[in-house]
Amino acid sequence: EGSAVSLQIAASDLSPAQQGGGRWTDKLDIFLVQRDQTGTRAETSEQTLALNLKPDTYQKVLRDGIPFAEYIGHPQNSGTVRIIVVDENSGRMGSITLPVPLERASR
């Protein structure tokens, strides 16, 4: 049992470099830290997202964000999951902490 977590990473907060041919490049390190209810145990996973965007695609992600989705399992005694995004070009980072199991929004 688990949930899919999806978010849009704000590209306007990143520092991509423009390369020859007009492409915009950057690397994002994305860490998922799932902690138990007591906060004494954590399970960590890491991904690297390499960006190599054409100018029109870069404009689209500036407007809409960079989509990211990940499956989060629900082990017993689960407490929170923290998603941390690090921009390798600038060293800036952002994060969000979510309760587990994830609540469904009702509308």
Side-chain angles (χ1 to χ4, degrees):
E1 182 177 314
S3 297
V5 174
S6 61
L7 57 103
Q8 299 294 110
I9 300 167
S12 58
D13 290 340
L14 305 177
S15 296
Q18 192 168 22
Q19 302 296 317
R23 289 190 177 256
W24 293 87
T25 63
D26 203 348
K27 281 188 182 175
L28 305 179
D29 294 320
I30 303 170
F31 302 90
L32 281 83
V33 182
Q34 191 165 347
R35 294 176 48 164
D36 66 12
Q37 290 176 339
T38 64
T40 57
R41 288 194 195 179
E43 186 177 310
T44 305
S45 63
E46 175 186 353
Q47 296 181 41
T48 299
L49 179 60
L51 303 177
N52 186 11
L53 307 173
K54 294 179 181 179
D56 56 337
T57 306
Y58 177 62
Q59 292 303 315
K60 182 180 183 331
V61 300
L62 276 176
R63 183 180 64 248
D64 302 335
I66 299 165
F68 175 77
E70 184 68 22
Y71 175 80
I72 304 293
H74 295 281
Q76 288 187 352
N77 299 322
S78 58
T80 62
V81 63
R82 184 170 195 132
I83 302 168
I84 304 162
V85 178
V86 180
D87 177 6
E88 286 192 10
N89 282 355
S90 69
R92 285 187 287 188
M93 70 174 70
S95 68
I96 186 170
T97 302
L98 303 169
V100 176
L102 301 172
E103 299 294 328
R104 287 185 179 234
S106 59
R107 286 198 176 192

